[in-house]
Amino acid sequence: MEKKNIDWSNLGFGYIPTEKRFVANYKDGVWEEGVLTEDATVTISECAGVLQYAQTCFEGMKAYTTEDGRIVIFRPDLNAQRMEDSCRRLEMPVFPQDKFVEAVVETVKANAAYVPPFGTGATLYIRPYMFGSDAVIGVKPASEYQFRVFVTPVGPYFKGGAKPITIRVSDFDRAAPHGTGHIKAGLNYAMSLHAIVDAHNQGFDENMYLDAATRTKVEETGGANFLFVTKDGKVVTPKSDSILPSITRRSLMVVAKDYLGLEVEEREVYFDEVKEFAECGLCGTAAVISPVGKIVDHGRDICLPSGMEEMGPITKKLYETLTGIQMGRIEAPKGWIKEVC
């Protein structure tokens, strides 16, 4: 298929409308089959549940053009499972996991001309989401919902290479114990907006959130999980019931253990330990790993030995291996790659 006439190498990380998107409605207790449409607008009641009580959740993943020219999606089954978990927690009807994957594949295939060519550094970002669509004035779940999938081509998160960032320890809490931190609810991201704007105004790239109960343990940032490397080469990630289970982070832990032969550990990470780590990164779909060079704790600088010039050596190996798997240069574990065409 002939690709769109887009300057792929100079794409930013923003929204560009494509030709098709998937839409399915839930009414009277059942999901309709769903269709592809060219209409990019959403029409709902002024009293819709999503507008009144933020009843919405979403997912994010990418489609890639591999080295041999195939279009593939990375682990969409895990996104389907995570959206199911989000829906159950928010009292929303579950869109069946197999139908979720089918809808994602169908949407990517319909927009194949927008999947950036291999070697450009660009990818096709995929956004499935669901929201309460009928009028709700009392505080209760909606009775009608809409599930949608759109895609948009995006450039590399880091132009010119992944330079280490500086983050701060936030005075805000990201998620309450027994709250919604473990699901991908829109409300989690709404509450983080003030904190990230404030961080940027103060000259920081991101926030490090500590646990709300004791403020002694590392949780995550506003949109990514933490990954640490000890001085003896062990890969460590924080464990908490209020951390979103990042698909990228879980994949990197498999890569560390099975591809690089490293020891891995998921456990509670106390903030007092951070100064002892050799490397630190933020894991997420957009960047895969954002290296962290410095953490500022209310005026006290914690400088990672990996420095501010480039990724630490183990972080770099993790990044290169996972992106190699996604792009088809390295053989993937069974079930990780969903081929579109």
Side-chain angles (χ1 to χ4, degrees), residues 18-181:
T18 56
E19 291 173 3
K20 300 281 188 178
R21 64 272 309 138
F22 180 88
V23 182
N25 291 293
Y26 179 89
K27 188 175 182 179
D28 298 327
V30 294
W31 282 105
E32 66 182 21
E33 199 60 31
V35 296
L36 287 172
T37 176
E38 295 181 359
D39 189 357
T41 61
V42 177
T43 302
I44 51 177
S45 166
E46 64 182 353
C47 195
V50 62
L51 301 179
Q52 305 308 315
Y53 304 119
Q55 202 180 15
T56 181
C57 60
F58 68 97
E59 279 297 323
M61 66 194 92
K62 287 180 176 179
Y64 310 84
T65 300
T66 63
E67 198 164 14
D68 60 3
R70 295 173 297 134
I71 294 176
V72 302
I73 306 168
F74 185 69
R75 309 194 77 178
D77 56 313
L78 294 189
N79 295 94
Q81 176 62 65
R82 193 167 64 181
M83 178 165 263
E84 177 175 330
D85 295 339
S86 297
C87 288
R88 293 192 187 283
R89 179 63 176 82
L90 295 175
E91 288 297 326
M92 300 169 71
V94 170
F95 195 74
Q97 290 187 37
D98 59 338
K99 298 293 186 183
F100 175 102
V101 174
E102 286 176 15
V104 167
V105 169
E106 195 175 335
T107 307
V108 172
K109 188 178 292 186
N111 294 287
Y114 289 91
V115 182
F118 175 80
T120 60
T123 54
L124 189 75
Y125 189 81
I126 308 164
R127 172 53 57 85
Y129 62 110
M130 188 191 301
F131 55 89
S133 55
D134 65 325
V136 178
I137 197 66
V139 181
K140 63 180 181 179
S143 59
E144 296 179 10
Y145 296 84
Q146 191 167 103
F147 171 79
R148 299 177 70 99
V149 183
F150 71 80
V151 297
T152 186
V154 295
Y157 200 77
F158 299 115
K159 286 190 178 293
K163 291 291 185 181
I165 61 175
T166 299
I167 66 175
R168 70 168 183 184
V169 177
S170 180
D171 289 327
F172 299 99
D173 293 327
R174 175 189 163 270
H178 312 296
T180 58

Side-chain angles (χ1 to χ4, degrees), residues 188-321:
N188 293 344
Y189 295 81
M191 63 70 55
S192 74
L193 295 177
H194 173 68
I196 192 62
V197 169
D198 184 65
H200 289 167
N201 288 341
Q202 300 299 321
F204 302 102
D205 296 293
E206 250 295 3
N207 290 291
M208 171 184 277
Y209 291 107
L210 304 180
D211 74 291
T214 70
R215 298 195 60 78
T216 61
K217 291 175 279 192
V218 176
E219 292 253 296
E220 61 172 292
T221 70
N225 284 182
F226 276 101
L227 179 149
F228 298 101
V229 180
T230 65
K231 290 175 181 175
D232 60 356
K234 181 190 294 184
V235 179
V236 179
T237 62
K239 183 178 183 179
S240 166
D241 290 338
S242 54
I243 289 176
L244 185 73
S246 163
I247 292 160
T248 302
R249 187 259 301 165
R250 284 182 279 169
S251 301
L252 285 166
M253 295 297 273
V254 174
V255 165
K257 182 174 182 291
D258 295 347
Y259 284 72
L260 303 181
L262 301 173
E263 187 177 351
V264 301
E265 189 174 25
E266 183 182 2
R267 61 170 173 82
E268 292 183 333
V269 174
Y270 285 85
F271 179 68
D272 287 346
E273 298 178 67
V274 170
K275 62 183 181 295
E276 304 299 330
F277 289 121
E279 301 174 37
C280 173
L282 310 181
C283 314
T285 297
V288 181
I289 306 178
S290 304
V292 176
K294 183 165 66 175
I295 301 166
V296 180
D297 177 23
H298 299 88
R300 179 172 68 99
D301 291 355
I302 301 172
C303 298
L304 279 298
S306 51
M308 291 297 296
E309 292 303 314
E310 59 183 7
M311 281 188 176
I314 290 179
T315 303
K316 187 175 182 180
K317 287 180 182 176
L318 288 168
Y319 174 84
E320 290 176 345
T321 306

